[in-house]
Amino acid sequence: MKVGIYTNKLTSSQVTKHKLTELLLQNGFEINDKEPDVVITLGGDGTLLAAFHHYIKQLNQIRFTAVNTGHLGFYTDWQNSEIEQLVESLKKDDGKSVSYPLLKIIVHFNQTNRQPKTYLALNESILQKITSTLIADVYLGDQLFEHFRGEGLCISTPTGSTAYNKSVGGAIVNSSLKILQLTEVASINNIMFRTLGSPMIIGPEDKLTIVPSAKSDYFLTVDSESYQCNQISRIEFALCKQDIRFVKYRHINFWKRVQKSFIGEV
Ligand code: NAD
């Protein structure tokens, strides 16, 4: 098995990387960061997100597993004190994996000669206006659903539902469900302007399109990255056919993970 190690810059991660590399080599694994079968991330959720984007063109070949070298992470199944157990599990690998849905984002531009841009998100994508209120039309399929005014719109995956989505009042969604969620960020609701005002769960067949009104600058956030976009004609959001796969040795039950991360001992 070819194993890639993807780490953040923290000293604790570098120390763990050194130990893990030795352990993997002693146990007959090949370290291969270019074309790995399994990628082990050392850090937190941000490191796993960065590794996902780093290996985005190889998602078909790669399974991920994440070791936490800092405070408690949401995607991380292992603590850095448990790397011996992780290597033992890798030795017994039977190729099983658990998959989580991804969000596909296609940005279309006003200029006819400008190619659409496609992004994949593991957590979410957020559309915001930089200097003033975001004014946008929200379509579900071909139907104009609402005129939105406010700070922004967040579209999250099930695993992303515990991240930014949760902070803006979205529901926490079981990661096994193939759905997306649309949440409003500080929408304006009064006698003049009206939005649904509730988070919406969007099914696998529903295509969500956002048409921002003014021809000016927007921030499109995709997980940890923000892109300044101008001249957007529309943005399409849908579940991606491609999933992210994690190795299944130590798959923690979703609701246990939620409880452990947000509630603690009961
Ligand atoms: P970061 O990497 O510093 O992460 C910020 C926090 O979000 C960390 O505590 C991280 O553990 C947590 N997090 C990330 N993914 C999570 C998930 N799926 N479930 C639960 N917690 C999760 O910040 P960044 O690099 O700027 O952005 C990475 C992610 O952090 C974004 O995708 C976004 O969802 C999240 N974030 C959340 C808020 C917020 O809740 N207000 C603000 C910024 C970023």
Side-chain angles (χ1 to χ4, degrees):
M1 181 192 285
K2 291 176 282 174
V3 179
I5 303 174
Y6 191 96
T7 175
N8 65 14
K9 290 194 175 83
L10 288 180
T11 313
S12 55
S13 305
Q14 298 302 325
V15 171
T16 306
K17 182 181 179 177
H18 185 71
K19 279 191 212 156
L20 181 62
T21 305
E22 275 188 358
L23 265 175
L24 287 167
L25 291 174
Q26 278 162 16
N27 284 280
F29 291 97
E30 178 187 334
I31 306 288
N32 186 330
D33 290 338
K34 277 215 167 125
E35 287 181 333
D37 304 308
V38 168
V39 169
I40 304 174
T41 67
L42 306 176
D45 292 322
T47 315
L48 187 273
L49 285 170
F52 160 72
H53 286 280
H54 181 80
Y55 289 107
I56 207 154
K57 293 201 172 117
Q58 292 158 261
L59 295 180
N60 269 331
Q61 289 85 49
I62 291 176
R63 288 175 297 149
F64 291 86
T65 191
V67 177
N68 198 335
T69 59
H71 59 87
L72 193 75
F74 210 84
Y75 287 108
T76 51
D77 283 346
W78 303 87
Q79 294 301 312
N80 59 355
S81 55
E82 298 173 320
I83 53 169
E84 284 87 0
Q85 284 163 261
L86 169 59
V87 173
E88 281 307 309
S89 303
L90 279 174
K91 279 163 74 179
K92 296 181 202 130
D93 180 59
D94 57 3
K96 279 193 184 151
S97 60
V98 58
S99 311
Y100 299 132
L102 299 172
L103 166 66
K104 186 172 182 177
I105 306 135
I106 308 177
V107 182
H108 298 265
F109 300 96
N110 289 321
Q111 302 97 320
T112 44
N113 59 350
R114 195 165 165 195
Q115 286 301 308
K117 272 197 145 277
T118 301
Y119 303 94
L120 292 189
L122 174 54
N123 267 353
E124 79 283 288
S125 177
I126 308 158
L127 181 69
Q128 285 164 306
K129 185 101 189 292
I130 303 163
T131 47
S132 54
T133 308
L134 171 68
I135 303 174
D137 287 344
V138 177
Y139 286 80
L140 284 168
D142 295 332
Q143 186 201 344
L144 173 60
F145 183 74
E146 66 182 11
H147 301 293
F148 177 88
R149 272 174 191 251
E151 193 103 314
L153 287 161
C154 168
I155 300 91
S156 79
T157 64
T159 52
S161 68
T162 47
Y164 187 89
N165 169 77
K166 181 177 182 293
S167 300
V168 290
I172 292 193
V173 176
N174 189 315
S175 56
S176 63
L177 297 175
K178 296 227 171 266
I179 58 97
L180 295 174
Q181 183 168 186
L182 172 66
T183 40
E184 301 177 352
V185 186
S187 59
I188 300 172
N189 269 292
N190 54 35
I191 198 105
M192 299 285 291
F193 309 116
R194 185 133 310 280
T195 61
L196 187 65
S198 303
M200 288 170 75
I201 302 292
I202 295 164
E205 304 306 324
D206 296 334
K207 196 176 78 184
L208 171 72
T209 306
I210 297 179
V211 180
S213 77
K215 293 175 187 171
S216 59
D217 291 358
Y218 296 91
F219 258 133
L220 183 73
T221 302
V222 178
D223 295 336
S224 307
E225 293 296 320
S226 280
Y227 305 94
Q228 193 170 348
C229 306
N230 54 41
Q231 297 288 328
I232 298 174
S233 60
R234 67 182 195 280
I235 311 177
E236 294 167 359
F237 300 89
L239 274 170
C240 183
K241 289 197 178 83
Q242 173 87 63
D243 286 339
I244 182 171
R245 296 181 305 139
F246 285 74
V247 292
K248 215 185 167 179
Y249 317 132
R250 216 219 206 160
H251 182 58
I252 301 168
N253 169 283
F254 178 76
W255 293 113
K256 272 223 171 90
R257 199 186 284 264
V258 170
Q259 187 194 34
K260 201 172 150 195
S261 303
F262 297 115
I263 297 183
E265 289 293 319
V266 178

